[in-house]
Amino acid sequence: LKALMKTYDSNKSGKLERDQVKQLLTDLDSETPPGTAPNDTELDFVIKVADVSGDGALHHNELMAAIRCWLTYIQLRVEIEEKFEKYDVSKTGTLSKEELKPYLVELNDGQSVTDEE
């Protein structure tokens, strides 16, 4: 992790800002053509998951969570996109409560789910 921080912390701030995180994720993604950067939604998600300090940047202690999140996502990207294609009937890029419910039923082996769940 220290080597990654040293490599990507180009301004020596002790943390990775958004553009530096984007470059790190681009370099880690072996599932797309080289140089393919994450889109803004993907980048926002990884930062939101890992940035426990809430400052919009990744510190050394937050870096592993970001890397794990990104590697898991890129391994499951096709499956996630397929699920969105199936359940995002409004084609908004998000699942409404009404769209989410059938997906949860599928995950629950056909058992219905309550609105609270």
Side-chain angles (χ1 to χ4, degrees):
L1 290 179
K2 287 181 183 181
L4 286 175
M5 285 297 289
K6 186 175 182 179
T7 299
Y8 291 96
D9 183 15
S10 56
N11 62 356
K12 310 297 184 227
S13 65
K15 58 188 175 184
L16 299 184
E17 285 90 13
R18 184 178 178 82
D19 61 321
Q20 297 163 333
V21 175
K22 187 174 189 173
Q23 187 59 55
L24 170 65
L25 300 182
T26 299
D27 293 346
L28 289 175
D29 187 354
S30 61
E31 301 295 319
T32 60
T36 304
N39 64 41
D40 287 339
T41 302
E42 294 167 332
L43 182 58
D44 290 343
F45 177 74
V46 171
I47 292 172
K48 185 174 184 174
V49 166
D51 180 23
V52 295
S53 66
D55 66 353
L58 297 181
H59 299 264
H60 181 269
N61 63 325
E62 299 168 329
L63 193 54
M64 184 53 75
I67 292 170
R68 283 186 185 140
C69 175
W70 181 243
L71 293 178
T72 300
Y73 172 73
I74 62 174
Q75 288 174 346
L76 298 173
R77 184 184 293 152
V78 171
E79 183 179 338
I80 291 168
E81 289 170 354
E82 288 171 353
K83 295 300 181 188
F84 265 88
E85 182 66 30
K86 181 176 181 179
Y87 291 104
D88 181 20
V89 294
S90 62
K91 303 301 179 207
T92 60
T94 61
L95 296 181
S96 67
K97 189 175 185 178
E98 294 77 27
E99 293 168 329
L100 181 60
K101 196 167 186 175
Y103 178 52
L104 293 176
V105 169
E106 179 184 310
L107 290 174
N108 202 27
D109 293 326
Q111 299 293 317
S112 62
V113 294
T114 65
D115 287 344
E116 294 77 31
E117 293 174 312

